[in-house]
Amino acid sequence: MIYIETGSSDPYFNFGAEYYFSDVAPLDDLIFLFWRTEPTLMLGKYQNPYEELNLKLAEEKGVKLVRRMSGGGTIYTDLGGWQFTFIDPEFSEEIEFKKYTAYILDALNDLGLDVTFTGRNDLLLDGKKISGNAQYQLNKHTIHHGSLLFNTDIEDMVRLTKVSEGKILSKSIKSIRERVTNISDYIDSDMTSLDFKEEMVSRICPDNHRQLTDGER
């Protein structure tokens, strides 16, 4: 496995890196990316932003919009959360989440977090969702990507993905907080988001690291 540091919090750049290493300049090894974004709404391949997002608020707050090449629901990401990508030259026609979430699950468990894989594509901590995952195929590569809630702004998540006001908004935030959680609530209080990244990368791919070259940028 090769870990590649993109050095960017731009969602368009990081999704571009997924495309680059699967279609333009593929490698023979499994590639691992661990990245985060400025406030962003990521839509699944088939979703309608006009039905599911508070586009007016997103524009007011300068939140970026990006459409993934994978299916699944809309997620909100910010600098308090992390995204991960595996680009696998061992192509499979079948969707297989456990093969890739196992790397994330083992690293989180190694940090002392009782995380489990459940359903089709979620990771749970204390019975609450901390990660969703999706896959697609491109140029005979399997691309698996997912999210990790480390210290994401849950209130912004609710406001931007569901148009709600007053008591409805309050109830929505409460409902979401009952179903999702941030990893930072269960870990050493001195650990920053960047510390968490280093801990995860060092466990998943401890030896084979490289930066993007100027040509790749």
Side-chain angles (χ1 to χ4, degrees), residues 48-63:
N48 183 345
Y50 297 99
E51 291 183 355
E52 303 192 24
L53 305 180
N54 187 335
L55 292 175
K56 182 175 184 295
L57 181 61
E59 183 177 7
E60 290 173 358
K61 295 175 71 69
V63 175

Side-chain angles (χ1 to χ4, degrees), residues 4-211:
I4 297 177
E5 173 59 58
T6 70
S8 175
S9 60
D10 185 327
Y12 311 118
F13 183 92
N14 285 294
F15 279 120
E18 285 189 0
Y19 177 81
Y20 181 82
F21 286 111
S22 58
D23 195 64
V24 178
L27 302 179
D28 293 331
D29 293 294
L30 177 63
I31 295 173
F32 171 51
L33 311 174
F34 201 82
W35 47 285
R36 63 179 179 173
T37 73
E38 301 155 8
T40 300
L41 288 163
M42 298 181 182
L43 291 96
K45 185 175 182 179
Y46 304 105
Q47 290 184 297
N48 183 345
Y50 297 99
E51 291 183 355
E52 303 192 24
L53 305 180
N54 187 335
L55 292 175
K56 182 175 184 295
L57 181 61
E59 183 177 7
E60 290 173 358
K61 295 175 71 69
V63 175
K64 295 183 176 180
L65 299 180
V66 63
R67 187 180 294 279
R68 305 187 307 271
M69 293 180 70
S70 60
T74 297
I75 64 170
Y76 170 74
T77 66
D78 58 20
L79 293 175
W82 290 97
Q83 317 303 305
F84 55 87
T85 304
F86 294 96
I87 303 171
D88 194 347
E90 294 187 6
F91 176 75
S92 173
E93 293 286 353
E94 297 182 1
I95 296 294
E96 174 53 66
F97 287 98
K98 287 187 177 180
K99 176 180 179 180
Y100 306 100
T101 56
Y103 292 106
I104 304 299
L105 184 66
D106 289 347
L108 291 170
N109 288 164
D110 194 50
L111 284 170
L113 298 165
D114 186 16
V115 178
T116 57
F117 179 84
T118 187
R120 184 168 180 266
N121 61 351
D122 294 340
L123 296 180
L124 302 187
L125 174 59
D126 192 26
K128 299 179 181 181
K129 183 175 177 176
I130 58 166
S131 173
N133 293 262
Q135 276 181 34
Y136 65 100
Q137 282 80 34
L138 180 65
N139 188 28
K140 296 297 182 180
H141 282 63
T142 297
I143 297 90
H144 178 105
H145 48 204
S147 59
L148 283 170
L149 297 174
F150 181 77
N151 191 23
T152 297
D153 190 320
I154 302 298
E155 184 167 331
D156 272 353
M157 178 191 295
V158 176
R159 290 179 181 275
L160 288 160
T161 56
K162 186 174 183 179
V163 180
S164 308
E165 295 182 1
K167 292 182 179 180
I168 297 177
L169 175 61
S170 177
K171 289 179 180 179
S172 295
I173 293 171
K174 183 176 184 296
S175 174
I176 291 292
R177 287 192 178 277
E178 290 173 350
R179 293 186 286 114
V180 306
T181 192
N182 277 310
I183 294 168
S184 60
D185 292 339
Y186 295 82
I187 210 162
D188 185 344
S189 60
D190 293 330
M191 181 179 288
T192 68
S193 186
L194 289 174
D195 291 336
F196 175 70
K197 172 191 176 181
E198 294 304 316
E199 293 287 352
M200 292 293 289
V201 172
S202 68
R203 284 166 169 77
I204 295 169
C205 189
D207 302 318
N208 200 358
H209 293 194
R210 77 173 178 89
Q211 302 277 339

